[in-house]
Amino acid sequence: MMQLAFLDTRLSNEVKRKTEKLMSSYKNLEAIIESKKLDAPKLVVNYQASEAQRSNQFHSETETLAINKVEIDEYTKTKRKLDLVYYSLKPVQQRIWDHKFLLGRYDVDVYTDLNLPDRTYYRLKREMIAVVAEAFGFI
């Protein structure tokens, strides 16, 4: 297992962009999961006779239900991973995440409000992004 001290924080722009997008979606994941659960069709027994494949559908209601369940499971897994990473970070990194990715503030405003030197802020942010990228296998 790789130690955090040896974690390479030099990331490509693509990996950094994907990771930051994922971190920004953290606050919306719970709402997405709940809305998908509410929109999921309920499978009930239907005793009406129906003609076989008369419609122009490419999949059945059961397949739609299964696909929806897989999507919900993926979002839930992503949310749980982000929770684990978030709560394993240093408190100052959690505050950076909150201000930068959840509130959508600019870097200058974040390190000014947190009374951090800009070099320290960018080092902590780079470490935080590297940890998330490693957790999701982007590196």
Side-chain angles (χ1 to χ4, degrees), residues 61-73:
E61 187 176 338
T62 306
E63 289 171 328
T64 305
L65 185 66
I67 291 169
N68 196 11
K69 181 166 176 16
V70 168
E71 287 177 353
I72 291 171
D73 290 345

Side-chain angles (χ1 to χ4, degrees), residues 4-5 84-98 114 120 123-125 127-128 131:
L4 184 59
L84 288 171
V85 171
Y86 179 82
Y87 291 113
S88 70
L89 294 173
K90 298 173 188 172
V92 67
Q93 287 175 323
Q94 289 178 355
R95 288 194 304 271
I96 290 171
W97 186 330
D98 291 341
L114 297 178
T120 304
R123 180 182 50 80
L124 290 170
K125 181 181 166 190
E127 287 174 4
M128 175 179 59
V131 169

Side-chain angles (χ1 to χ4, degrees), residues 104-119:
R105 302 181 69 204
Y106 293 112
D107 289 326
V108 176
D109 296 334
V110 175
Y111 67 72
T112 302
D113 286 351
L114 297 178
N115 295 325
L116 291 172
D118 58 345
R119 290 182 63 176

